[in-house]
Amino acid sequence: MNPSLWGKGMFTSSNICLEDCPAEQLSHFQPDPAPPDVSNVSVTLHSDNENMKMLPESAYYSSSEAGSSLIFSSKLELNPRYSSCDHHVWNVNSGHQAKRARVENIIKGMTGSPGMYCLKVTTNQHEETDCVQEKERIQELPSHQENTERSGSGATSHSQTKKKQHENQHQRLRTRFKNVVTEPTDSSKEENYPMCSGSPDNSPRDSYSRFESSSNTKYQGWKKVKLMNYFQSRPDRIKLMADVLKYELSRAVSRSVDSIFKSMPLLQTSPNDNSGTVETDVSLKSSVCKDNKLRLACYENAEVQVPDVQTEALSLVVQKPQLESSDNFVLQSRLRAHHHPKPPLDSTVHEDQPPEKNHNAVHQHALRCLQDEPSEAAQAKLETFDTYWNSVKVRSKVNSRSMKSPQTHPVSVDPTLLESLCLPHVKIESDSLVRNKLYMLNEGLTTNHLKKAKLMFFYTRYPSSLVLKMCFHDVQFTRCITSQLIKWFSNFREFYYIQMEKFARHALMEGVADVRVLTVGRQSELFRALNMHYNKANDFQVPDRFLEVAEITLREFYIALSMGKDRDPSWKKAIYKVICKLDSDVPTEFKTHSE
DNA sequence: ATGGGTCCTG
DNA sequence: CAGGACCCAT
């Protein structure tokens, strides 16, 4: 991890570019070596030091306009460890995903078909115990039901009764489940069991469909009429049972899968694999690993587990990497793009650590990176860092779009939770509801994709479809997705050009006579407006090239307006034509994470 | 016809 | 930011 390298690359790029620019010239406004007095220009007058150097307009229109970004990109590539980092994360999460997928698959298979309860539970019992228990249940349940019904008026007693009843059921089912686990299946006895007996086909679906049909036409084809009747008249009881079973089964399966993972020494790779650099990565990613049992998967070889563990359920989480890559991207962009590294902004990244601990760690990291700076500057940056960190702790803003998933789960999603779910380090123990939400997010573009798109805008205003596909490789590109992304950038441009026009008009009104006065620095109002829009959290170091392009755009607008071109309804098109040529290459880590 | 773009509106 | 109307190039 070497954010300082990144940061230095960022901050030197613009000068290099501009100094190397050939002396082409802007058609109408020749540069003047001595900038005029601009003290009364309030629009875009730079007050920052970074852009004090007056630049020849020719630079903006030169063929080396991508120079800055090229340098920028090359700096990025100097640090290939990031990609392997991503790989680590993905491997880790792949392992977890695989595990979870398996559990998920199993649970889903059961929850999806209520008939399964019948088979899984009742067919796997020994006849004796089951018959006894079955009788007990038949005798027991109605009384509970009566209690429930009678106490319906009192909310407290009602809930208590229900709770007790639930506990009883729970206990019973727990016992039964133990039997399921400990005793081998004896299908020869299943015909004696009420729920499934008489069924010529033991497949869950068929059993269930029969069960269903019997709900409509009572006693049809079923031998244990009374029992069925009992269940038919009490669908909520069945539901309760189903829920309890669901819960128990999922817990048991999760536990057993976990124990398998825990007890497999082969999954742990030799610590020798951790050379210095890798170790840095691992330690840095330690927050990824929820605990020791997961930490073992943090090592490189963890990837080999993925295909071996379980593949059949992977389709459920096949889009998981997209979330991770997006989120990793956000995180890394922050880490890399900062001259003075800011903390991993997503508090959820380190949800498994105490905030203070993270704070300290990041703080120290910041200190290390700042150590070669003048202490005053370092102090100032640390202060801003602290301020920033405090703001980060309470930040949880999620666009509504990501919640508009057209999926079947009409659950309301807490934005904070949602954001945490977007991150790779989702608690393994999260319940199925949470997991469902997670899967929902994979259906389309998420808020993180939007964030990423906005950051991309700093490099490219007119991304091609190919670039979009490369940068959003984690999204399944449908026509809809593509057009949505295109629409996003269209909207970005719209805002961008509106701002440009606004500030250009303002400058004109202010009586700015010379286009060279119009500059876009990091402290300028215009940049602040743009930055607020595309980089609201201000956690991304906007490339200098963007400032240059913004300046060119502003000047183009100013020139056009000053020439009265806006009388032509399509006067902006000429500007668009100029600006679209100023796109830079998107840095590599915006694209695929694969090495 | 399709894709990609702007403009306008909510 | 999305939807729709409209334009334009392929």
Side-chain angles (χ1 to χ4, degrees):
Chain A
M1 192 62 67
N2 194 349
S4 56
L5 174 63
W6 163 272
K8 283 166 186 166
M10 291 282 301
F11 275 73
T12 54
S13 57
S14 79
N15 290 339
I16 294 171
C17 161
L18 293 164
E19 283 159 9
D20 291 342
C21 284
E24 281 178 36
Q25 44 175 269
L26 175 63
S27 52
H28 7 253
F29 292 83
Q30 272 296 90
D32 188 335
D37 178 35
V38 293
S39 56
N40 58 350
V41 178
S42 63
V43 187
T44 55
L45 177 61
H46 53 247
S47 58
D48 54 326
N49 294 328
E50 295 162 13
N51 261 15
M52 284 307 281
K53 185 178 172 186
M54 219 35 189
L55 306 169
E57 278 79 359
S58 58
Y60 307 133
Y61 297 90
S62 73
S63 57
S64 69
E65 61 205 13
S68 168
S69 61
L70 287 175
I71 292 162
F72 183 65
S73 301
S74 67
K75 293 287 180 186
L76 301 183
E77 287 161 5
L78 284 175
N79 205 348
R81 221 191 302 148
Y82 282 101
S83 56
S84 64
C85 248
D86 303 341
H87 207 56
H88 279 303
V89 180
W90 167 229
N91 290 339
V92 169
N93 287 283
S94 307
H96 296 169
Q97 280 307 126
K99 183 172 73 175
R100 281 177 51 181
R102 188 178 171 199
V103 175
E104 190 78 16
N105 193 41
I106 294 165
I107 303 305
K108 274 211 168 178
M110 306 186 116
T111 57
S113 169
M116 285 294 279
Y117 303 140
C118 153
L119 285 177
K120 288 280 178 186
V121 178
T122 63
T123 67
N124 290 316
Q125 310 290 319
H126 278 297
E127 185 174 0
E128 297 79 17
T129 56
D130 188 77
C131 281
V132 170
Q133 287 174 350
E134 208 63 57
K135 284 173 185 171
E136 280 174 6
R137 187 172 55 187
I138 293 168
Q139 289 165 355
E140 224 175 308
L141 290 178
S143 68
H144 281 296
Q145 183 71 18
E146 283 170 17
N147 287 341
T148 311
E149 285 162 358
R150 279 181 202 138
S151 57
S153 56
T156 315
S157 61
H158 177 79
S159 62
Q160 280 174 348
T161 314
K162 272 225 160 182
K163 193 179 175 186
K164 191 174 179 180
Q165 160 191 339
H166 186 272
E167 279 168 2
N168 287 340
Q169 285 253 345
H170 202 121
Q171 186 56 41
R172 241 189 337 273
L173 289 163
R174 195 187 291 268
T175 317
R176 302 187 115 218
F177 186 76
K178 262 186 187 171
N179 293 337
V180 174
V181 174
T182 54
E183 293 175 16
T185 304
D186 189 356
S187 57
S188 66
K189 302 194 174 182
E190 71 185 24
E191 60 178 284
N192 294 323
Y193 294 100
M195 288 294 289
C196 301
S197 63
S199 174
D201 186 336
N202 290 330
S203 78
R205 287 186 187 282
D206 286 357
S207 298
Y208 181 51
S209 58
R210 281 190 186 81
F211 180 83
E212 286 262 271
S213 68
S214 74
S215 297
N216 298 327
T217 56
K218 289 182 179 180
Y219 316 125
Q220 198 174 33
W222 294 86
K223 292 177 182 174
K224 304 292 179 180
V225 174
K226 284 185 181 177
L227 184 63
M228 274 318 299
N229 194 27
Y230 166 78
F231 275 104
Q232 285 164 5
S233 62
R234 287 164 180 81
D236 54 337
R237 196 140 295 283
I238 295 172
K239 193 176 184 305
L240 177 64
M241 275 184 61
D243 288 337
V244 174
L245 260 174
K246 227 184 286 179
Y247 173 75
E248 278 301 308
L249 285 171
S250 64
R251 275 190 54 183
V253 176
S254 288
R255 251 186 259 124
S256 54
V257 172
D258 276 353
S259 66
I260 289 168
F261 269 79
K262 265 190 204 170
S263 60
M264 279 178 75
L266 287 175
L267 295 179
Q268 302 187 44
T269 55
S270 154
N272 298 337
D273 293 344
N274 299 325
S275 60
T277 55
V278 175
E279 196 167 61
T280 310
D281 288 345
V282 170
S283 67
L284 215 135
K285 297 286 181 187
S286 63
S287 61
V288 170
C289 309
K290 195 150 167 47
D291 51 31
N292 286 337
K293 74 181 170 189
L294 299 182
R295 199 181 304 272
L296 67 88
C298 288
Y299 296 107
E300 279 185 359
N301 294 2
E303 62 187 307
V304 299
Q305 313 165 20
V306 179
D308 298 338
V309 176
Q310 178 64 285
T311 53
E312 63 175 325
L314 286 181
S315 61
L316 288 171
V317 292
V318 71
Q319 304 241 24
K320 183 63 169 60
Q322 86 178 246
L323 285 175
E324 291 176 17
S325 56
S326 306
D327 293 311
N328 285 343
F329 155 77
V330 172
L331 179 61
Q332 286 152 22
S333 67
R334 288 161 180 165
L335 288 175
R336 289 189 220 184
H338 282 78
H339 185 43
H340 52 97
K342 289 173 180 175
L345 298 174
D346 302 274
S347 54
T348 45
V349 170
H350 300 279
E351 63 182 283
D352 48 328
Q353 290 181 11
E356 296 78 15
K357 192 178 170 187
N358 297 328
H359 188 185
N360 289 339
V362 177
H363 212 139
Q364 282 171 11
H365 185 58
L367 272 171
R368 277 199 301 276
C369 296
L370 292 167
Q371 63 192 359
D372 52 352
E373 295 188 19
S375 58
E376 222 173 87
Q379 185 58 39
K381 288 184 175 182
L382 272 180
E383 280 168 17
T384 57
F385 160 78
D386 277 327
T387 313
Y388 188 69
W389 175 258
N390 289 333
S391 69
V392 159
K393 280 195 286 195
V394 294
R395 183 177 64 87
S396 68
K397 188 181 178 307
V398 170
N399 179 282
S400 60
R401 172 69 178 172
S402 66
M403 287 180 256
K404 284 193 211 167
S405 176
Q407 293 312 297
T408 51
H409 286 278
V411 287
S412 65
V413 183
D414 176 35
T416 315
L417 175 63
L418 186 71
E419 189 160 70
S420 72
L421 288 172
C422 290
L423 289 154
H425 326 302
V426 182
K427 285 186 178 180
I428 287 292
E429 289 79 11
S430 55
D431 61 17
S432 60
L433 190 66
V434 173
R435 286 198 295 267
N436 283 336
K437 288 176 192 167
L438 185 64
Y439 299 138
M440 282 167 56
L441 296 178
N442 294 326
E443 294 299 324
L445 294 166
T446 66
T447 46
N448 283 307
H449 291 119
L450 179 60
K451 283 182 194 169
K452 182 177 182 177
K454 284 181 170 181
L455 296 184
M456 281 173 64
F457 188 78
F458 286 128
Y459 299 91
T460 172
R461 270 60 59 187
Y462 294 83
S464 66
S465 298
L466 187 65
V467 168
L468 289 177
K469 277 172 186 162
M470 283 163 74
C471 292
F472 297 94
H473 59 96
D474 52 343
V475 183
Q476 199 172 8
F477 263 76
T478 60
R479 243 176 257 158
C480 183
I481 295 289
T482 309
S483 54
Q484 191 184 354
L485 279 169
I486 288 169
K487 182 69 181 176
W488 278 0
F489 276 87
S490 179
N491 286 331
F492 298 162
R493 282 192 298 271
E494 192 173 23
F495 179 83
Y496 177 81
Y497 287 129
I498 286 172
Q499 295 303 310
M500 293 299 168
E501 184 180 354
K502 192 173 95 181
F503 279 85
R505 285 188 186 278
H506 194 264
L508 214 56
M509 281 169 60
E510 291 279 316
V512 176
D514 194 318
V515 72
R516 288 159 296 182
V517 169
L518 299 176
T519 59
V520 178
R522 290 179 189 272
Q523 300 302 318
S524 66
E525 272 184 72
L526 176 56
F527 175 76
R528 286 181 182 186
L530 295 171
N531 194 50
M532 183 60 72
H533 190 73
Y534 306 115
N535 182 25
K536 201 162 197 171
N538 198 29
D539 50 7
F540 183 80
Q541 178 70 39
V542 178
D544 289 332
R545 177 60 182 167
F546 178 75
L547 296 175
E548 297 164 14
V549 174
E551 196 170 282
I552 296 165
T553 314
L554 178 67
R555 292 180 178 187
E556 283 289 335
F557 268 92
Y558 173 87
I559 292 165
L561 286 170
S562 63
M563 293 171 73
K565 284 186 179 176
D566 56 331
R567 285 189 289 265
D568 177 8
S570 57
W571 65 283
K572 292 178 185 172
K573 284 184 180 174
I575 302 176
Y576 299 156
K577 209 173 174 182
V578 171
I579 303 308
C580 74
K581 290 175 185 167
L582 303 180
D583 275 7
S584 307
D585 276 343
V586 177
T588 48
E589 80 274 22
F590 278 79
K591 298 170 186 172
T592 177
H593 285 279
S594 60
E595 307 69 33

